[in-house]
Amino acid sequence: DAGVTQSPTHLIKTRGQHVTLRCSPISGHKSVSWYQQVLGQGPQFIFQYYEKEERGRGNFPDRFSARQFPNYSSELNVNALLLGDSALYLCASSPAGAYNSPLHFGNGTRLTVT
Amino acid sequence: AQRVTQPEKLLSVFKGAPVELKCNYSYSGSPELFWYVQYSRQRLQLLLRHISRESIKGFTADLNKGETSFHLKKPFAQEEDSAMYYCALRLGQAGTALIFGKGTTLSVSS
């Protein structure tokens, strides 16, 4: 079991730039969720995608967007980066889209905005 | 507003001592509660969830709707239990959107 894989592991960007983070779910998992974890806080929900459709969105500005591809991998895009976007971005996959589907997390992408 | 509160940032106990990690939630509907754990240099992983009513690695947690709590307990702590523990709340049938607490670091020393 390769687990959920995320790339890159670390990233440094400048304010105003945009960034794309990538996630490959566990084989057979059709749902991908994105979370932001700021230092000292628990993960905060950003998006859920299931079968390539957005199924949920957290309280994040429109600068954040995501998509899911036919192979169920996913990208998270953040435009016009702010210093406050510096965080660990976690991707999680699950077999189905909702109830009784435990989340399997990746190791995350550490984004630093300077 | 929906919220998960873990009042202790750090809990330090000796090996063999009982452990209770506190979690309180704020939600008027039908909640689903989880405990996630992150061991050093490992990814966040599910420890247990209230609907399963199971004991994992000696840990149990009971949902108390009257007190809106979901405390994690273990009668005898082991050094390998040292980790960061997060309580999380799923709202009704809100898919995979979880609300996490800030986490409690459990440190077990010999």
Side-chain angles (χ1 to χ4, degrees):
Chain A
D1 181 1
V4 176
T5 56
Q6 293 186 243
S7 62
T9 54
H10 295 84
L11 201 53
I12 299 175
K13 289 287 189 178
T14 305
R15 274 178 299 177
Q17 287 187 316
H18 73 273
V19 68
T20 298
L21 310 180
R22 295 178 175 83
C23 172
S24 292
I26 292 172
S27 178
H29 286 194
K30 297 182 178 180
S31 176
V32 169
S33 304
W34 287 95
Y35 284 79
Q36 181 196 64
Q37 187 172 19
V38 174
L39 197 62
Q41 304 289 321
Q44 186 175 359
F45 174 73
I46 310 176
F47 284 112
Q48 181 203 354
Y49 276 78
Y50 178 62
E51 288 283 14
K52 301 178 285 295
E53 291 187 2
E54 182 181 304
R55 290 296 185 92
R57 185 185 183 113
N59 187 24
F60 280 81
D62 291 342
R63 299 185 296 108
F64 288 76
S65 63
R67 55 180 176 169
Q68 187 176 33
F69 298 99
N71 67 353
Y72 303 109
S73 67
S74 177
E75 284 182 354
L76 175 69
N77 295 283
V78 187
N79 293 325
L81 285 167
L82 303 174
L83 294 179
D85 295 330
S86 295
L88 180 68
Y89 288 84
L90 296 170
C91 175
S93 74
S94 60
Y99 215 69
N100 280 336
S101 293
L103 296 182
H104 299 261
F105 283 88
N107 284 322
T109 294
R110 173 74 61 188
L111 172 64
T112 302
V113 182
T114 62
Chain B
Q2 297 85 19
R3 187 171 56 247
V4 173
T5 303
Q6 294 180 249
E8 302 134 332
K9 200 170 184 177
L10 172 66
L11 184 63
S12 296
V13 302
F14 288 107
K15 178 182 172 181
V19 169
E20 183 178 49
L21 299 171
K22 291 184 166 53
C23 172
N24 288 90
Y25 66 92
S26 173
Y27 179 54
S28 58
S30 181
E32 186 180 357
L33 277 299
F34 303 82
W35 277 99
Y36 279 82
V37 61
Q38 187 165 28
Y39 300 101
S40 179
R41 289 185 291 278
Q42 294 188 28
R43 60 189 66 191
L44 193 61
Q45 58 187 283
L46 177 67
L47 179 62
L48 55 79
R49 46 186 173 172
H50 88 270
I51 59 172
S52 300
R53 295 182 173 271
E54 57 193 345
S55 173
I56 303 292
K57 298 184 180 182
F59 285 98
T60 58
D62 291 317
L63 177 61
N64 186 324
K65 291 187 178 180
E67 296 182 358
T68 59
S69 68
F70 188 57
H71 303 326
L72 183 67
K73 300 177 184 179
K74 184 169 183 176
F76 308 103
Q78 302 298 315
E79 288 181 79
E80 55 266 29
D81 296 329
S82 296
M84 173 70 89
Y85 291 80
Y86 292 97
C87 182
L89 164 70
R90 178 152 64 193
L91 308 177
Q93 307 223 344
T96 57
L98 299 180
I99 298 175
F100 283 85
K102 291 186 178 181
T104 297
T105 300
L106 174 64
S107 175
V108 182
S109 54
S110 57

